[in-house]
């Protein structure tokens, strides 16, 4: 008997049944930190910036020297020198003088503002005219404005993006403790499968799912562990699954997940553990199994690559994120449907779409929807679920809910971006 759940119910089972992995840390350099999850809070051990800096090219001044000046009556200041980039400013600024400074340069002692070059005039012989007054603090970023010592800058559990990596660099942290990557076991099953490097004989096909799922695991910043192609043989599958479960945190078995006699995945999971559900009311992807062996999740994914892809996108990626103690943020945009979609039959249907930019985005180099652009168009990409090439270049997918009467051409739909 298949225990068929709705996609929503399947997602809830995943969230409730599995918790983040017990944490253990590893140290990585910033070059290897992208996508990794912080093991500890990061606390600033330095002031950033470490000195008061100019935010413009111009002249460091004592602001009161500029009060009341204007284009017709400039304040006249003597140039005391130039602050060199990368060097500390030499000497204190006295009233009636100014110092040339570039963006990011050190602010001399005594100076409390910087006048932009645009509001100055060089009269020669060291005489600088200021044509617009500045107030104390103008055009300066002060020592510690970014961070002060002891500030918790990033919290444990943060996924590191290019932004956080930049922040760590600014703080002088080039080695960082991150949670270890979950190990994702990948098993393909089927007597008809050969490795992508081989030439299939008649009746054989290449194993698409192993490289595809490997890429998904890498995309999730998890560690793929490939167990290769396993024949449709219960003993062989059982021993592969035993090894995978012992060595990894999550096991993905593709193929053999239906309820037919040649479909061994359910038998093998059931013999070693429990099945949480067998079947999701979705298209493609109905023959999906989630089981648990020794407390670890074991997915039986459909063999059809397109179905395997959708199930992975919708359920496997969130589970990997859950194990990592993070979550997936899905981005959606609205678009108009380029053609009508017919009703489906009691299953939520996921349909890949290509986006065309609306008129407002013409020539912007951006495909799809931009801010304030209501005219992006989503074109459904239909292909039989065995044909992975149908997914080439898609931008996202839409979901036609179960029991929907279909969606008319031109209707506004929500596109989840891939
Ligand atoms: P199954 O779920 O084992 O009944 O497989 C469903 C369909 O997907 C069959 O046509 C299989 O040949 C195909 N298939 C299964 N596994 C893979 C794979 N790893 N790569 C490509 N196609 C597959
Ligand atoms: Mg099979």
């Amino acid at each position: 008997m298949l225990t068929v759940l709705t996609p929503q119910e399947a997602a809830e089972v995943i969230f409730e049944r599995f918790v983040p992995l017990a944490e253990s840390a590893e140290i990585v350099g910033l070059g290897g930190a992208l996508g990794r999850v912080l093991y500890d809070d990061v606390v600033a051990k330095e002031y950033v910036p470490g000195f008061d800096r100019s935010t413009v090219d111009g002249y460091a001044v004592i602001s009161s020297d500029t009060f009341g000046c204007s284009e017709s009556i400039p304040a006249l200041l003597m140039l005391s020198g130039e602050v060199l980039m990368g060097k500390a400013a030499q000497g204190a600024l006295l009233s009636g003088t100014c110092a040339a400074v570039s963006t990011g340069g050190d602010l001399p002692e005594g100076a409390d503002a910087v006048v932009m070059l645009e509001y100055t005039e060089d009269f020669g012989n060291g005489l600088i005219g200021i044509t617009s007054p500045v107030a104390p603090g103008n055009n300066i970023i002060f020592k510690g404005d970014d961070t002060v010592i002891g500030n918790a800058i990033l919290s444990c559990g943060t996924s590191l993006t290019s932004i956080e990596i930049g922040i760590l660099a600014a703080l002088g942290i080039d080695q960082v403790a991150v949670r270890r990557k979950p190990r994702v076991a990948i098993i393909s099953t089927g007597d008809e499968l050969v490795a992508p490097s081989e030439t299939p004989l008649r009746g054989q096909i290449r194993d698409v799912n192993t490289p595809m799922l490997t890429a998904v695991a890498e995309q999730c910043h998890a560690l793929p562990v490939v167990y290769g192609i396993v024949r449709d043989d219960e003993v062989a599958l059982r021993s592969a699954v035993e090894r995978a479960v012992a060595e990894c945190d999550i096991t993905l078995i593709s193929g053999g997940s239906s309820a037919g006699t040649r479909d061994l995945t359910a038998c093998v999971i059931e013999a070693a553990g429990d099945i949480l559900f067998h079947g999701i009311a979705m298209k493609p992807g109905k023959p999906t199994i989630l089981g648990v062996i020794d407390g670890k999740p074991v997915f039986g994914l459909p063999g059809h690559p397109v179905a395997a892809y959708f199930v992975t996108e919708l359920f496997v990626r969130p589970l990997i994120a859950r194990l990592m103690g993070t979550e997936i943020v899905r981005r959606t945009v609205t678009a108009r449907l380029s053609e009508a979609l017919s009703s489906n039959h009691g299953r939520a249907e996921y349909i890949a779409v290509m986006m065309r930019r609306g008129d407002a985005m013409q020539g912007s180099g951006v495909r799809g929807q931009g801010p304030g652009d209501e005219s992006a168009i989503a074109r459904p990409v239909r292909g039989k679920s065995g044909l992975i090439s149908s997914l080439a270049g898609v931008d996202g997918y839409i979901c036609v809910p179960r029991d929907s009467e279909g969606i008319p051409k031109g209707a506004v739909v929500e596109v989840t971006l891939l």
Side-chain angles (χ1 to χ4, degrees), residues 189-192 232 254-257 262-263 303:
T189 69
D191 287 338
E192 73 281 23
D232 287 317
S254 75
S257 64
R262 305 276 307 144
D263 296 312

Side-chain angles (χ1 to χ4, degrees), residues 178-267:
V178 294
R179 294 183 188 158
R180 80 170 171 89
K181 291 185 173 188
R183 294 169 64 87
V184 180
I186 296 165
I187 300 173
S188 281
T189 69
D191 287 338
E192 73 281 23
L193 301 179
V194 299
S197 58
E198 288 177 41
T199 304
L201 302 174
R202 185 159 176 174
Q204 298 182 323
I205 57 163
R206 293 198 175 92
D207 173 13
V208 172
N209 293 340
T210 294
M212 185 173 78
L213 296 172
T214 300
V216 169
E218 278 168 354
Q219 220 175 6
C220 295
H221 305 286
L223 195 72
V225 183
V226 170
Y227 289 85
I229 298 167
V230 176
R231 300 293 149 213
D232 287 317
D233 171 83
E234 194 168 340
V235 176
L237 184 58
R238 194 185 312 140
S239 89
V241 169
E242 271 170 14
R243 264 183 63 210
V245 170
E247 295 168 358
C248 296
D249 302 295
I250 170 171
T251 298
L252 309 178
I253 308 164
S254 75
S257 64
S258 310
T261 45
R262 305 276 307 144
D263 296 312
L264 302 170
T265 304
C267 305

Side-chain angles (χ1 to χ4, degrees), residues 351-415:
I351 300 168
V353 298
M354 305 259 288
M355 301 280 281
R356 254 188 300 128
R357 60 172 182 256
D359 295 340
M361 295 297 285
Q362 290 284 347
S364 68
V366 175
R367 187 163 63 172
Q369 195 186 31
D373 173 20
E374 296 301 321
S375 56
I377 293 171
R379 181 171 63 78
V381 175
R382 313 288 244 153
K384 296 193 177 129
S385 66
L387 305 177
I388 188 70
S389 56
S390 67
L391 290 184
V394 298
D395 298 301
Y397 61 86
I398 58 176
C399 178
V400 183
R402 66 190 293 187
D403 308 326
S404 157
E405 297 291 312
I407 304 178
K409 176 178 175 172
V412 173
V413 290
E414 189 177 70
V415 177

Side-chain angles (χ1 to χ4, degrees), residues 33-48:
L34 184 65
R36 304 302 298 272
V37 180
L38 278 183
Y39 181 77
D40 283 322
D41 292 345
V42 171
V43 175
K45 295 192 173 60
E46 291 175 9
Y47 287 96
V48 178

